[in-house]
Amino acid sequence: MTSPPLLTLIIPVYNEKEVIPVFLRETASIVDSMKNIDVEFLFINDGSTDGSLATLLDLKQTYENIRIIDLSRNFGKEAALSAGLHHARGEIAIPIDVDLQDPPELIPVMVDKWREGYDVVHARRIDRSSDSIAKRLTAKWFYRVHNATSDISIPQNVGDYRLLSRPVIDAINSLSETQRFMKGIYSWVGFKSTVVDYTRQKRAAGKSKFNGWKLWNYALEGITSFGTVPLRIWTYIGSIVALIAFMLSIKVLVQVLIFGIDVPGYASLLIAVCLIGGLQLIGIGVLGEYVGRTYIESKNRPVFIIRNIIE
């Protein structure tokens, strides 16, 4: 008899001591009721300093299907997800946040979609009322800007919560880039996919580790990871500004030579210099983002370092 397929739940953890027991209790009750499938909980301790690792070790005495990857420091969620995908044993894997904002009740639904033949099952948030208005608006504009400026499109309102089949996992693990924007990577590898909808919940406990500055840097990472449109935009901006300057110079020349009108000019000259200087600095900043990415990638450092693996 063939053994049932194995599902790996990939759970990054960074200072989530309060919510880990709640997550395990609720999620285990759901996956234990699933038929013809085995489940492992793969926790990635991403440099927690609040006792999350000790909590996981205690819970491992109760839940035998827990595995723990303890990273040497905090590498960030993208690196933690990469570590989870590299060490997932299952035929399928589902990255899921420990804060229970992504309901584990959706796991059986995604597994059923996989049994229907889909390699990727996206979990799409159709109701984000649990998030702040500012977060909802910035997320909306991020997806719009990213999909307009990148070579690939990412599904709107789809986070890391999704099902990935083994061919998808292997394809992602084969990528060598060190600066990782996982939402883009999920879409870049392709494969047959579908979508299931859900309502985003409030955190079960604790506080979000993402602040405005981290979200802003994350957005820049996503926009510059999968296309050079931002660079191309500045070529067009430069051309438009040069054309306007040329037309204004013709106007000034005509005024002086034909009408004899002198050019008053200190204020307008100062404005023009500041405008052009500002545009140049922004353009250099965009260029710097890409040069910086090239510099980091050229070092070829590992995405993460593992201190210990507790089986």
Side-chain angles (χ1 to χ4, degrees):
M1 295 179 62
T2 58
S3 58
L6 176 64
L7 163 64
T8 299
L9 296 179
I10 300 173
I11 311 129
V13 171
Y14 177 59
N15 291 344
E16 298 284 6
K17 176 182 177 180
E18 298 175 3
V19 76
I20 291 172
V22 182
F23 169 84
L24 263 175
R25 184 171 62 251
E26 293 195 13
T27 306
S29 66
I30 292 170
V31 298
D32 287 347
S33 64
M34 297 171 62
K35 298 179 179 179
N36 300 321
I37 193 165
D38 293 330
V39 178
E40 67 168 356
F41 292 88
L42 180 57
F43 285 92
I44 300 89
N45 180 43
D46 188 23
S48 297
T49 58
D50 70 336
S52 292
L53 179 59
T55 299
L56 288 171
L57 292 173
D58 288 341
L59 290 168
K60 186 170 172 57
Q61 306 303 316
T62 304
Y63 301 90
E64 297 181 354
N65 55 342
I66 286 181
R67 295 170 59 214
I68 305 168
I69 297 176
D70 185 26
L71 301 186
S72 62
R73 63 171 177 84
N74 177 239
F75 286 88
K77 186 179 180 182
E78 308 300 281
L81 288 171
S82 298
L85 289 170
H86 272 87
H87 290 84
R89 294 172 175 170
E91 287 90 337
I92 50 178
I94 298 178
I96 181 172
D97 290 342
V98 75
D99 57 17
L100 289 175
Q101 285 193 282
D102 300 325
E105 291 84 1
L106 209 61
I107 293 173
V109 179
M110 290 194 282
V111 171
D112 288 341
K113 290 293 182 181
W114 170 69
R115 294 186 191 277
E116 293 175 11
Y118 293 100
D119 290 296
V120 181
V121 183
H122 303 289
R124 180 172 58 194
R125 307 157 183 165
I126 58 173
D127 184 350
R128 302 188 62 164
S129 57
S130 61
D131 293 334
S132 66
I133 295 177
K135 189 172 183 179
R136 294 200 300 268
L137 288 175
T138 52
K140 178 181 178 180
W141 280 105
F142 165 73
Y143 286 110
R144 287 187 177 181
V145 172
H146 179 278
N147 291 339
T149 59
S150 299
D151 296 332
I152 64 162
S153 294
I154 58 176
Q156 189 164 352
N157 285 322
V158 174
D160 296 306
Y161 191 33
R162 66 189 74 202
L163 180 144
L164 307 169
S165 67
R166 174 48 59 179
V168 180
I169 297 170
D170 291 340
I172 293 173
N173 289 340
S174 70
L175 303 179
S176 59
E177 60 197 84
T178 58
Q179 295 292 102
R180 296 199 155 206
F181 176 63
M182 295 304 295
K183 291 183 181 65
I185 289 175
Y186 295 142
S187 297
W188 186 86
V189 297
F191 292 91
K192 185 179 180 182
S193 64
T194 187
V195 175
V196 294
D197 295 330
Y198 74 99
T199 298
R200 188 167 173 81
Q201 307 296 318
K202 293 183 178 180
R203 285 183 63 94
K207 296 181 179 179
S208 174
K209 307 307 179 293
F210 275 96
N211 53 35
W213 179 247
K214 288 184 178 180
L215 289 173
W216 168 253
N217 287 326
Y218 183 67
L220 286 180
E221 185 79 23
I223 292 170
T224 57
S225 289
F226 289 91
T228 58
V229 172
L231 290 174
R232 200 173 304 128
I233 287 173
W234 283 100
T235 301
Y236 298 135
I237 291 176
S239 300
I240 292 171
V241 172
L243 178 62
I244 292 173
F246 176 75
M247 294 174 64
L248 287 175
S249 66
I250 295 296
K251 177 185 176 183
V252 170
L253 184 62
V254 169
Q255 286 178 332
V256 173
L257 295 181
I258 299 179
F259 301 104
I261 301 175
D262 195 7
V263 183
Y266 178 75
S268 58
L269 180 62
L270 181 62
I271 292 172
V273 170
C274 291
L275 174 63
I276 301 302
L279 290 175
Q280 287 176 332
L281 289 174
I282 295 172
I284 291 171
V286 173
L287 181 62
E289 285 290 330
Y290 284 90
V291 173
R293 290 184 62 83
T294 304
Y295 172 67
I296 296 298
E297 292 290 341
S298 68
K299 295 187 177 195
N300 199 29
R301 290 172 177 166
V303 180
F304 54 86
I305 298 174
I306 295 176
R307 177 166 53 188
N308 194 14
I309 298 179
I310 301 101
E311 299 288 350

